[in-house]
Amino acid sequence: MAADPPRTTLLEVSGLSVRFPTDEGVVHAVEDISFSVASGEVLGIVGESGSGKSVTGLALMGLLPRRAQVAGSIRFDGVELRGASEREMRRRRGSDLAMIFQDPMTSLNPVFTVGDQITEMLRQHQDLDRDEARDEALDLLEMVGIPEPGRRIDQYPHEFSGGMRQRIVIAIAMANRPRLVIADEPTTALDVTIQAQVMEVMRQVQQEVGSALILITHDLGLVAGTADRVQVMYGGRFLESGPTRHIFAEGASPYTQGLLRSLPRIERTGDAPLFSIPGAPPSAILRPRGCPFRPRCGYATEICAETLPPLAEVAVGHAVRCHHVDRVLAEDLEGVG
């Protein structure tokens, strides 16, 4: 059996930081993160609300407000995007880059039919007449599993269920076969059954189109069967990075282990409460010294309060930011893996 051809790096982010000046002080939303995404790859970025995940996605798309202070490098297919003009970014959005947001009702215009919204995206980036764009829109609706696309193409967003609206948002994002798709909490507003359906549709369409996918979520379980690699984010920084199977089997950051232990499990019996990580995420304005997870970590010692640990490799492709990673790995954490 022939080996799969090596994937080429599509997106390379280096030293990305994002800050927002406010009356209360400077919000340090993202702090010096670096990562890459290869063509056709699925990268999961997970973490609690306020960890900097969504800001990272918006920075990649060039959609941050003007007051945002952005440092670092964002290279797409070898071309630097940070500092690119709005005209250049508008040309790339929809054709090279696309984003799927968590709430389809705010992503879709309520006064236009779904067909109008899909064909508008097609005609902005392709030399299609109205009939050609409509035919392509029908194919897209069928691809994402909308029943009776010939009838439903002329309906308005409010005439669809939440799951169907999210499928339409996926169709719009994939309309021009973008090379990179960023999905920001794409299933948050949906029930568990619809979540699974939408994720399956997204994965199938992503594979058919050949796009790379960045899946931003607070739910590690959501990326378990989807992502090739996972970046665990907390306090604006990556605390762990590695292949999905390694993260789930040998999560080496205390924060990652806390997220894994928080997942509901079928084998749980009796009235045992779900595990929750004690405390709350750090302030984005009053950043603590040292490790950002220190105030909530059971392994913390004096060095954790003084020095930020480096992101160090513990296995090939698996890196962890923790002063006590050897101790963490040595302990038998029942129920994790």
Side-chain angles (χ1 to χ4, degrees):
M1 183 176 177
D4 293 333
R7 291 169 167 171
T8 58
T9 299
L10 181 64
L11 176 74
E12 191 165 4
V13 178
S14 178
L16 178 65
S17 296
V18 181
R19 300 178 180 181
F20 299 95
T22 70
D23 293 339
E24 289 75 29
V26 177
V27 174
H28 300 257
V30 176
E31 289 291 303
D32 192 24
I33 64 170
S34 300
F35 64 99
S36 62
V37 184
S39 298
E41 183 181 28
V42 180
L43 173 69
I45 300 180
V46 301
E48 292 172 277
S49 297
S51 61
K53 309 183 304 298
S54 294
V55 172
T56 299
L58 293 172
L60 300 181
M61 293 292 295
L63 293 175
L64 291 170
R66 290 188 177 184
R67 64 187 175 89
Q69 300 172 346
V70 184
S73 172
I74 303 170
R75 297 184 69 83
F76 179 83
D77 200 17
V79 177
E80 180 62 54
L81 296 186
R82 193 178 76 80
S85 67
E86 177 56 28
R87 180 178 180 181
E88 170 66 11
M89 291 305 299
R90 197 161 47 237
R91 182 184 69 81
R92 288 188 176 274
R93 292 186 204 115
S95 56
D96 287 335
L97 308 166
M99 193 160 188
I100 299 169
F101 295 94
Q102 63 178 290
D103 185 0
M105 279 307 287
T106 58
S107 302
L108 297 171
N109 191 320
V111 302
F112 291 99
T113 67
V114 299
D116 286 340
Q117 295 181 64
I118 298 173
T119 57
E120 179 185 16
M121 177 63 73
L122 289 164
R123 298 188 72 188
Q124 279 184 354
H125 296 279
Q126 299 184 43
D127 184 21
L128 301 176
D129 62 30
R130 191 175 300 275
D131 289 339
E132 290 171 333
R134 183 180 174 87
D135 288 342
E136 180 66 20
L138 287 169
D139 290 341
L140 286 163
L141 289 175
E142 184 174 5
M143 183 172 68
V144 297
I146 299 295
E148 301 181 83
R151 178 176 67 87
R152 307 214 70 175
I153 193 172
D154 295 316
Q155 292 182 329
Y156 292 85
H158 73 270
E159 298 179 83
F160 294 82
S161 68
M164 289 294 180
R165 285 194 291 265
Q166 194 61 296
R167 289 170 185 249
I168 293 165
V169 170
I170 294 171
I172 293 173
M174 296 295 190
N176 293 296
R177 277 34 181 192
R179 300 172 66 192
L180 174 65
V181 178
I182 302 168
D184 186 9
E185 302 279 12
T187 62
T188 295
L190 307 175
D191 63 50
V192 175
T193 302
I194 304 302
Q195 278 188 10
Q197 293 174 1
V198 168
M199 286 305 302
E200 180 63 22
V201 167
M202 189 182 307
R203 189 68 166 118
Q204 288 177 352
V205 173
Q206 179 257 340
Q207 290 176 335
E208 181 174 331
V209 173
S211 306
L213 174 64
I214 297 177
L215 176 60
I216 296 172
T217 178
H218 64 277
D219 186 355
L220 259 176
L222 195 64
V223 304
T226 305
D228 300 303
R229 289 188 297 120
V230 177
Q231 304 268 17
V232 181
M233 197 169 190
Y234 182 82
R237 296 184 183 274
F238 288 144
L239 296 192
E240 188 157 7
S241 170
T244 304
R245 64 183 184 278
H246 287 185
I247 297 295
F248 277 79
E250 302 175 23
S253 162
Y255 179 59
T256 304
Q257 292 184 344
L259 293 178
L260 288 169
R261 292 175 67 191
S262 300
L263 294 175
R265 296 180 181 274
I266 294 175
E267 65 270 19
R268 188 183 300 274
T269 58
D271 298 325
L274 286 171
F275 174 83
S276 62
I277 301 173
S283 165
I285 295 177
L286 303 174
R287 288 290 192 201
R289 292 181 61 185
C291 176
F293 190 58
R294 178 193 60 80
R296 307 173 72 186
C297 181
Y299 295 91
T301 61
E302 186 176 342
I303 190 175
C304 305
E306 297 297 328
T307 308
L308 176 70
L311 195 61
E313 199 167 66
V314 295
V316 176
H318 185 181
V320 180
R321 189 187 298 278
C322 181
H323 287 300
H324 304 295
V325 64
D326 291 338
R327 178 181 158 202
V328 175
L329 287 173
E331 292 195 7
D332 178 21
L333 296 175
E334 184 178 354
V336 176

